[in-house]
Amino acid sequence: QKREISNFDYLMYLNTLAGRSYNDYMQYPVFPWVLADYHSETLNLTDPHTFRDLSKPMGAQTKERKHKFIQRYNEVEKSEGDLAAQCHYCTHYSSAIIVASYLVRLEPFTQTFCSLQGGSFDVADRMFHSVKSTWESASRDNMSDVRELIPEFFYLPEFLTNANHFEFGCMQDGTVLGDVQLPPWADGDPHKFILLHRQALESDYVSAHLHHWIDLIFGHKQHGSAAVEAVNTYHPYFYGDKMDLKNIKDPLIKTTILGFISNFGQIPKQV
């Protein structure tokens, strides 16, 4: 409010308070998608339609998608701790594989990605190859994709180029996978993309609405009845601090839960 700290610094501070760290891929700092416009030739930061709805999680960015997730929630019988537990999302907005897939063009993340994938790159069409298509997948098209962003999207142009010339293979349409495809308004320049994307994060619109997203990720809409109302509940295993692993005697169940968390992500500590 006093313009004494940037939105970026504030989000980093909140991530740190919530136990997120660059040292842990499973609890990596989480940042929001702030834009919804990845098709225009120029980016208009004075138009509200340019921006993502920060008051809603990624699973509720369109009415149709929101309705489907509410339907899923209502169809599952409540069974705490079971794999079929009542929740809106069985995948997470931040996990080790999401972080590694975004940063796959840079070491050591390339090796991390391959080890998480069982020793090789994923099918080319499933790799992170386009900002626009990733937004469309996470906000509209893919019911198992509700990913948010990582801090690098706001300061590190290098992760968008395949400077190490890794061979990721070809997509089904014959396109060789290389640099990340950028929106038209970036003019094919990763530095321009980062500059404009950071300007979007620090824009008046985002400054006025960012607290809604913070409520969803770090605040009172993170779990409980407020989360249900906000279409923002995740599988019980994702709430690490709510799972009492010490009292689970069966080693197989304990291993399953820990494997689930390490593969699919964790909710930040509530701030």
Side-chain angles (χ1 to χ4, degrees):
Q1 286 178 329
K2 294 179 180 176
R3 309 263 170 172
E4 290 175 2
I5 185 171
S6 67
N7 289 336
F8 182 91
D9 288 340
Y10 185 50
L11 287 170
M12 282 305 298
Y13 181 65
L14 287 174
N15 270 287
T16 304
L17 278 180
R20 315 294 285 189
S21 163
Y22 282 117
N23 299 323
D24 186 351
Y25 295 162
M26 289 181 284
Q27 296 190 84
Y28 208 75
V30 55
F31 268 60
W33 287 95
V34 292
L35 294 173
D37 181 353
Y38 297 97
H39 54 268
S40 297
E41 293 295 329
T42 55
L43 195 60
N44 183 0
L45 297 180
T46 60
D47 182 357
H49 294 103
T50 298
F51 297 93
R52 165 255 179 107
D53 186 342
L54 287 158
S55 68
K56 295 184 174 73
M58 289 304 291
Q61 289 296 308
T62 69
K63 283 182 184 172
E64 297 80 13
R65 189 167 153 98
K66 179 182 177 181
H67 177 69
K68 284 180 186 171
F69 281 121
I70 291 172
Q71 209 174 354
R72 174 195 279 177
Y73 181 89
N74 292 332
E75 281 170 0
V76 179
E77 289 293 319
K78 189 167 177 64
S79 49
E80 192 76 31
D82 185 358
L83 279 171
Q86 190 174 31
C87 60
H88 293 109
Y89 314 115
C90 296
T91 53
H92 201 262
Y93 50 76
S94 175
S95 66
I97 194 69
I98 289 171
V99 173
S101 70
Y102 279 145
L103 299 172
V104 70
R105 289 162 179 79
L106 294 178
E107 289 289 15
F109 301 98
T110 314
Q111 295 305 315
T112 303
F113 182 85
C114 287
S115 64
L116 288 170
Q117 277 292 125
S120 62
F121 293 124
D122 200 356
V123 177
D125 284 84
R126 286 204 300 258
M127 298 278 285
F128 172 52
H129 65 275
S130 156
V131 178
K132 179 175 179 276
S133 65
T134 303
W135 159 255
E136 288 170 351
S137 170
S139 67
R140 189 187 71 200
D141 297 340
N142 188 345
M143 289 290 283
S144 62
D145 183 3
V146 291
R147 75 182 76 183
E148 292 279 7
L149 298 183
I150 53 175
E152 284 82 353
F153 272 85
F154 301 94
Y155 68 81
L156 189 72
E158 286 78 11
F159 88 97
L160 297 163
T161 59
N162 186 21
N164 292 317
H165 306 295
F166 292 117
E167 292 185 10
F168 298 118
C170 284
M171 293 166 67
Q172 281 184 334
D173 63 3
T175 307
V176 177
L177 206 62
D179 297 346
V180 176
Q181 293 168 16
L182 302 175
W185 46 258
D187 296 328
D189 181 351
H191 289 82
K192 186 172 181 181
F193 172 82
I194 296 292
L195 175 70
L196 292 172
H197 204 216
R198 183 65 173 265
Q199 283 177 5
L201 178 66
E202 305 300 341
S203 67
D204 289 341
Y205 179 89
V206 172
S207 297
H209 295 85
L210 189 57
H211 63 287
H212 295 303
W213 183 83
I214 290 167
D215 286 343
L216 294 168
I217 306 298
F218 303 107
H220 77 287
K221 291 183 181 175
Q222 192 193 71
H223 60 264
S225 58
V228 175
E229 204 175 314
V231 195
N232 192 43
T233 65
Y234 295 81
H235 194 283
Y237 290 170
F238 294 148
Y239 298 86
D241 55 344
K242 304 274 182 292
M243 294 297 301
D244 191 3
L245 290 170
K246 289 180 189 145
N247 290 330
I248 297 172
K249 299 287 184 270
D250 188 328
L252 189 62
I253 294 174
K254 197 180 231 178
T255 306
T256 303
I257 292 172
L258 289 170
F260 198 89
I261 292 166
S262 65
N263 282 323
F264 295 108
Q266 287 171 270
I267 301 287
K269 289 188 180 76
Q270 195 172 26
V271 176

